[in-house]
Amino acid sequence: MTEAVTRPTLEAVAARAGVSRATVSRVVNGGDGVRERLVERVRQAVDELGYVPNQAARSLVTRRHDAVAVVIAEPETRVFADPFFALQLRGISKELTAHDSQLVLLLTEGRDDHARVGRYLAGGHVDGALVFSLHLDDALPGLIRHAGVPTVFGGRPGWSDGTHRAVYVDSDNRGGARTAVRHLVGLGRTRIAHITGALDQTSAVDRLDGFRDVMADADPRLIVEGDFSPAGGERAMRELLDRCPDLDGVFAANDITAAGALRVLRERGRRVPDDVAVIGFDDMLPVAEQTDPPLTTIRQDIEEMGRLMARLLLRRLDRRNADGEGEQAPDAGDDTAGVVLPTTLVRRASA
Amino acid sequence: MTEAVTRPTLEAVAARAGVSRATVSRVVNGGDGVRERLVERVRQAVDELGYVPNQAARSLVTRRHDAVAVVIAEPETRVFADPFFALQLRGISKELTAHDSQLVLLLTEGRDDHARVGRYLAGGHVDGALVFSLHLDDALPGLIRHAGVPTVFGGRPGWSDGTHRAVYVDSDNRGGARTAVRHLVGLGRTRIAHITGALDQTSAVDRLDGFRDVMADADPRLIVEGDFSPAGGERAMRELLDRCPDLDGVFAANDITAAGALRVLRERGRRVPDDVAVIGFDDMLPVAEQTDPPLTTIRQDIEEMGRLMARLLLRRLDRRNADGEGEQAPDAGDDTAGVVLPTTLVRRASA
DNA sequence: GTGAAAGCGCTAACAA
DNA sequence: TTGTTAGCGCTTTCAC
């Protein structure tokens, strides 16, 4: 039980291999320009001693951390009703792992936490940041720019901070919404309603815009604001049925909203899809496959979004690292403003 | 745009405040034993320069990282069907934040990843680890013990690694299961079935034991193995109805399993709760409140579990830090083996 | 191709 | 109370 109270250092490995610390360092970091024989010897010493580099010491000199912060700034609700973030995290995690980078998770609980996050990012603990779920009035983008950390956003940011270009990955929310509504139209529906998401998020706004693209002259009473939650979906659906009992189609801003709507429709005796066709957005499997009837929806590849965000960030970091080492204005000439991922229609029974 | 290309160091602050680095260090770390006037001056210099301590340099000497790893080792399914982990993470995050510790998230995708996690933990990058969802045959506990990192487990570990005591936080799965089954009994049900969880997890085993505690002489055909998934719930429910058409109560190992069971019951024309009373476990709100009918279930406070795990770990770390600084065998005399959180019955419409 | 030596920014004895 | 000093373990010129 006399556990390795002191972990082996470069020094120890060097001694054992009969070389200098510099050589061990070279081998540990790829081993270029070291004679094959020595590489062997060092590798063996590393194994025998169970040497693992001390990341703190390394960071101190390289100023790299091999760590990326993931900031999820969701005041409350959505995160936990929806496997959304779990999926993104999984995608991100896979990509970071493949790149030997660590994932530092920063969950914020409200405005107060933003300052803490800003401080952390400014503190130079991580090489970059992946930031989610900004709301239009969010202070975070400003803090983040101020922190000067390379950042990729999940979802198009709300630009509350001016016109600065930001790197982001988003789904084709507007195009997907158009597909959804056109599908309802193709089904012969004419009184098509839309339950929006939380309109302080660009995804909700974009989906609404997509709806309007197709239903340019829609009865305004057919649009009701929701908030991406099941309860919001229920409330909105009731309101819609009261206002427009003749509606025959509903495009809900996401699947859990649609699930809420379905319950109200059943409760009110409307058959789906016979009386009212319903379509969601996300294709969140545990939701969409479990509703009654199963939900027709617009699929977006959440995990891939996460992956791509990570990939984009890591590429920037690598480039920056290869370049003039900070001589440049950060990311000057970076023209990758946003990447938009396609969406597809998934037909099930509800529309 | 001439951003602070070099962040201010202790040295810079010291110069500006006209004191030594040591004094600045003292102030930054609490400021005990420094004259008030100097504290003031240093604080001001810190603010003016926007000084943030370099964590790498600090770790290098203190050997502390103010970071904790959270390991979620869930091969596939469950993580993303269930807001379970999101809630735990939130609880953990809150507690760590309050303690100025960072959360490093390690998601594993299968056996291969275990080695990576083991290496990371052994690498001394974090002060401790919080580990979830071990399966009975999991290699992780062994790797973790070998890594020698203080660890708290989420859920009672499966002891595949012998009889070593481990610190863990768990829900009262067995007691909760008893409560559930007794509730069905109290409703006058006599043919009560159980759909188990994945029996390679102790939570599923404990819930099954609880079921048996009450239904000691149950017809063995009334117990069917599930896997904590909706699909598993559906399959199990079909099997149960085929085997025992006369059943009048079902205790499902978790809410999403119960949701699957409810669908099959409806499909087969059984009324709930009139013909068959159904009770779940977890009280996962987005699931339990949204089923038809809403689910009676056993509530466990997931977020609190996360919080408590973090608190336990941090307490151990603090203690270790205060003590003889590693002179002791790690955690000798730590008698906190497991903490079991109570569960409560939540009545809705299904039972 | 390899080694010697100079720090990276900080904390913690130890002196003063 | 405050300052001086010696590293923490590593990478990285710069000689050899």
Side-chain angles (χ1 to χ4, degrees), chain A residues 253-273:
Chain A
N254 70 346
D255 289 349
I256 58 182
T257 295
L262 285 178
R263 272 192 302 277
V264 170
L265 286 168
R266 174 150 19 109
E267 168 190 310
R268 295 280 181 102
R270 310 293 178 110
R271 290 166 308 160
V272 176

Side-chain angles (χ1 to χ4, degrees), chain B residues 253-323:
Chain B
N254 70 348
D255 289 348
I256 58 180
T257 294
L262 285 178
R263 271 193 302 278
V264 170
L265 286 167
R266 175 150 17 111
E267 168 190 310
R268 296 278 181 103
R270 309 291 177 110
R271 290 166 308 159
V272 176
D274 313 74
D275 301 331
V276 181
V278 175
I279 188 165
F281 203 111
D282 279 355
D283 194 32
M284 210 82 276
L285 256 37
V287 179
E289 289 187 331
Q290 311 295 339
T291 54
D292 178 27
L295 199 60
T296 292
T297 187
I298 301 296
R299 172 164 173 68
Q300 48 177 339
D301 191 340
I302 312 288
E303 184 170 337
E304 179 59 22
M305 277 186 69
R307 266 197 128 98
L308 191 53
M309 287 175 65
R311 210 175 300 147
L312 246 40
L313 180 62
L314 292 170
R315 196 197 297 157
R316 286 175 77 193
L317 296 178
D318 283 349
R319 199 194 306 154
R320 152 181 293 214
N321 231 293
D323 281 6

Side-chain angles (χ1 to χ4, degrees), chain A residues 7 55 57 60 80 83 86 90 93 97 102-107 109 116 120 123-125 263 266 290 292, chain B residues 7 55 60 80 83 86 90 93 97 102-107 109 116 120 123-125 263 266 290 292:
Chain A
R7 300 200 346 225
Q55 179 65 36
L60 187 54
F80 304 108
R90 191 220 276 264
S93 166
T97 295
Q102 242 42 57
L103 191 171
V104 178
L105 185 63
L106 266 29
L107 258 27
E109 209 62 38
R116 171 176 62 84
Y120 183 75
H125 303 287
R263 272 192 302 277
R266 174 150 19 109
Q290 311 294 340
D292 178 26
Chain B
R7 300 199 348 224
Q55 179 65 35
L60 187 54
F80 304 108
R90 191 218 276 265
S93 166
T97 295
Q102 243 41 60
L103 192 171
V104 178
L105 185 64
L106 266 29
L107 258 28
E109 209 63 37
R116 171 176 62 85
Y120 183 75
H125 304 286
R263 271 193 302 278
R266 175 150 17 111
Q290 311 295 339
D292 178 27

Side-chain angles (χ1 to χ4, degrees), chain A residues 6 35 85 100 166 169 197 217 316:
Chain A
T6 356
R35 221 192 310 266
F85 292 99
D100 270 320
V169 175
D217 45 3
R316 286 174 76 193

Side-chain angles (χ1 to χ4, degrees), chain A residues 125-139:
Chain A
H125 303 287
V126 291
D127 301 322
L130 262 18
V131 180
F132 285 102
S133 20
L134 291 183
H135 296 247
L136 284 178
D137 57 345
D138 217 312

Side-chain angles (χ1 to χ4, degrees), chain B residues 5-20:
Chain B
V5 123
T6 357
R7 300 199 348 224
T9 67
L10 253 202
E11 183 84 51
V13 177
R16 178 158 199 128
V19 298
S20 73

